[in-house]
């Protein structure tokens, strides 16, 4: 059976999985979602992560790719992780587990989705005799994950713009500038992250340029990313059930809402989940919404968990669409009102909680977990772990805290809280000594377009 995908705003022609992936945003401005949620398959006898992953994702891709080819791609994607369990679940204390999502090439959770999505893009483009240029603006994590997902992919080039005057840490910059591959390019743009984002948006809006270099995005609204993240909710819930006999609460450090939305999808597919705890830093629109029922935009403030410095979480639209009875025009209307007024009353899911931690509380959590358990948490993971102690009314269930980055990705924050500087994993041991390769560009659309034209490989 071939699953079709439609827009959350209800006004775009349905597509199959491959076209959904390659299209990104729907033409009506909405996000693609499956016409219905398939049931979780029978996983009896499946133990290896890649085997579970192929089985869980198959109903989403069936009809767009051969089963054997899909299994090969999944196998290959997760062979890039340096832990045999891919996403190990480790006990933290008598109630909490850490689901370590940072064993991929760039030591943050975006690898789990992008290692797969890069390979799927390459497969579908090659099949169609096409190529694409992935253009990304990054404040840190997304850039290196997109580059690592593109290395070695024949149909893809990748250009990442990061702010030269921004808050990209040395580790994050070097993760981008030390990749030595002919089809990926790190570019330092004059200005801030917002400048980079505006330049990328303007390049996408330039239709002639977009067609000329076949611009494409792999951002967190891409359904393929959500789909890949569903898998670890399934593996973690299964492992917790084996240990405790109970269904877990998931505590999820949240920015663009892609990660926790994948948990919602897993639950809609039949996974037994006791609740979701949405953990925010001071950019707490989601916590306020879960407390009051109103979405109210506030200016973004910088924190020590920068990948969560987001106010308007794009993937929230997919949850709202489900909560509005999958009514596209009601979803479009609600979002229109939100954009116009800056606030809107929005339905809330039951069994969800929200909690916020400011930077002091985040540092306290990092320090406390180090003192008690000799575990180093990165600041994003710490927001999720600390949220469990700060929320009222959570069910008395085991809690799985999603660990979204390796502590060595944010060594300054971790060292400030604990006095210990976390060591990089083996494959990055010499990261600080590797030669850097970086292009520079003015914050100017014509300059960026000229650079991209020069960097991308000509079509074969
Ligand atoms: C991207 C990111 C997040 C936020 O995930 P969303 O899917 O955007 O909610 C949290 N932590 C880290 C380390 C990230 O890179």
């Amino acid at each position: 059976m071939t699953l079709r995908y439609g827009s959350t705003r209800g006004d775009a022609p349905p597509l199959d999985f491959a076209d959904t992936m390659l299209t990104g945003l729907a033409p009506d401005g909405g996000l693609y979602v499956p016409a219905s949620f398939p049931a979780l398959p029978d996983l009896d006898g499946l133990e290896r992560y890649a085997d579970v992953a192929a089985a869980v994702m198959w109903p989403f891709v069936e009809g767009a790719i051969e089963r054997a080819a899909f299994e090969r791609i999944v196998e290959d994607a997760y062979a890039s992780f340096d832990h045999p369990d891919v996403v190990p679940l480790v006990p933290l204390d008598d109630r909490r587990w850490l689901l370590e999502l940072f064993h991929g090439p760039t030591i943050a959770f975006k690898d789990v989705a992008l290692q797969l999505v890069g390979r799927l893009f390459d497969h579908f483009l090659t099949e169609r005799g096409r190529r694409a240029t992935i253009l990304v603006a990054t404040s840190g994590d997304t850039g290196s994950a997109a580059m690592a997902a593109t290395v070695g992919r024949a149909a893809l080039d990748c250009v990442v713009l990061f702010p030269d005057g921004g808050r990209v840490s040395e580790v994050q910059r070097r993760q981008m500038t030390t990749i030595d591959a002919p089809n990926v390019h790190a570019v330092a743009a004059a200005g801030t992250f917002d400048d980079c984002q505006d330049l990328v948006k303007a390049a996408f809006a330039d239709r002639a340029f977009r067609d000329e270099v076949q611009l494409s995005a792999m951002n967190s609204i891409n359904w393929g990313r959500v789909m890949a993240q569903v898998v670890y909710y399934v593996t973690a819930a299964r492992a917790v059930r084996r240990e405790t006999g109970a269904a877990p609460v998931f505590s999820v450090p949240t920015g663009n809402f892609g990660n926790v939305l994948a948990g919602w999808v897993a639950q809609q597919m039949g996974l037994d989940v006791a609740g979701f705890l949405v953990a925010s830093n001071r950019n707490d629109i989601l916590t306020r919404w879960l407390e009051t029922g109103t979405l109210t935009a506030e200016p973004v403030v910088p924190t020590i968990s920068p990948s969560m410095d987001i106010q308007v979480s794009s993937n929230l639209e997919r949850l709202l669409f489900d909560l509005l009875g999958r009514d596209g025009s009601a979803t479009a209307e609600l979002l229109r009102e939100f954009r116009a007024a800056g606030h809107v009353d929005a339905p809330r899911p039951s069994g969800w909680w929200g909690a916020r931690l400011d930077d002091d509380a985040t540092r306290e959590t990092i320090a406390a977990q180090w003192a008690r358990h000799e575990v180093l948490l990165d600041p994003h993971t710490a927001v999720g772990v600390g949220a469990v102690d700060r929320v009222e009314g959570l069910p008395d269930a085991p809690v799985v805290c999603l660990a979204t980055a390796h502590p060595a990705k944010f060594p300054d924050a971790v060292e400030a809280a604990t006095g210990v500087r976390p060591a990089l994993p083996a494959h990055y041991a010499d990261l600080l000594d590797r030669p850097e390769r970086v292009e520079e560009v003015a914050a100017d659309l014509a300059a960026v377009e000229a650079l991209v034209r020069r960097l991308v490989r000509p079509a074969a």
Side-chain angles (χ1 to χ4, degrees), residues 55-342:
V56 168
M57 292 188 284
W58 178 246
F60 291 108
V61 303
E62 188 175 2
I65 182 172
E66 296 290 325
R67 175 96 190 205
F70 183 62
E71 285 177 0
R72 240 183 348 262
I73 285 174
V74 173
E75 190 68 41
D76 194 43
Y78 296 116
S80 71
F81 282 59
D82 69 2
H83 194 286
D85 294 342
V86 180
V87 292
L89 185 70
V90 300
L92 183 62
D93 53 32
D94 52 11
R95 181 175 185 203
R96 279 178 286 211
W97 277 262
L98 283 178
L99 180 60
E100 294 184 352
L101 302 174
F102 53 70
H103 292 276
T106 73
I107 63 176
F109 97 101
K110 293 190 174 63
D111 289 328
V112 181
L114 283 170
Q115 283 296 311
L116 182 77
V117 166
R119 285 167 172 83
L120 287 172
F121 259 72
D122 199 45
H123 174 88
F124 292 128
L125 287 167
T126 304
E127 203 176 55
R128 287 161 171 70
R130 285 171 47 191
R131 54 170 305 285
T133 301
I134 307 295
L135 180 63
V136 182
T138 190
S139 58
D141 281 352
T142 308
S144 56
M147 289 173 80
T150 315
V151 172
R153 312 270 85 84
L156 295 173
D157 292 278
C158 181
V159 179
V160 171
L161 251 55
F162 69 88
D164 71 348
R167 308 176 340 111
V168 178
S169 74
E170 180 173 18
V171 171
Q172 287 182 315
R173 186 190 74 241
R174 286 178 161 276
Q175 286 186 293
M176 296 186 276
T177 58
T178 62
I179 300 184
D180 187 17
N183 67 329
V184 301
H185 308 275
V187 178
T192 63
F193 171 58
D194 286 337
D195 297 327
C196 292
Q197 232 173 357
D198 289 345
L199 286 165
V200 167
K201 273 190 198 151
F204 272 90
D206 179 348
R207 187 167 274 277
F209 177 71
R210 195 171 78 195
D211 292 345
E212 179 190 343
V213 300
Q214 303 277 325
L215 276 195
S216 187
M218 262 187 209
N219 51 19
S220 75
I221 58 125
N222 197 288
W223 178 259
R225 287 182 59 170
V226 176
M227 172 188 82
Q229 294 169 176
V230 169
V231 176
Y232 51 71
Y233 286 91
V234 176
T235 60
R238 224 176 154 208
V240 166
R241 180 167 289 286
R242 276 184 193 164
E243 291 255 343
T244 68
V249 168
F250 286 97
S251 178
V252 188
T254 301
N256 239 328
F257 210 78
N259 202 355
V260 70
L261 182 89
W264 165 261
V265 173
Q267 191 182 38
Q268 304 313 300
M269 294 171 75
L271 189 72
D272 192 5
V273 175
F276 291 103
L277 173 53
V278 174
S280 313
N281 60 29
R282 276 184 56 211
N283 299 291
D284 63 347
I285 181 172
L286 296 168
T287 303
R288 288 181 281 114
W289 162 61
L290 288 167
E291 287 168 352
T292 66
T294 305
L295 282 167
T296 310
E298 301 276 354
V300 176
V301 295
T303 72
I304 59 169
S305 44
S307 297
M308 295 155 62
D309 292 349
I310 290 170
Q311 277 290 342
V312 181
S313 308
S314 47
N315 266 295
L316 181 63
E317 180 165 344
R318 287 188 165 116
L319 177 64
L320 295 174
F321 174 72
D322 286 343
L323 297 175
L324 291 165
R326 312 202 99 208
D327 178 339
S329 45
T331 308
E333 181 53 37
L334 186 144
L335 292 163
R336 204 162 27 241
E337 218 180 300
F338 178 58
R339 257 194 317 276

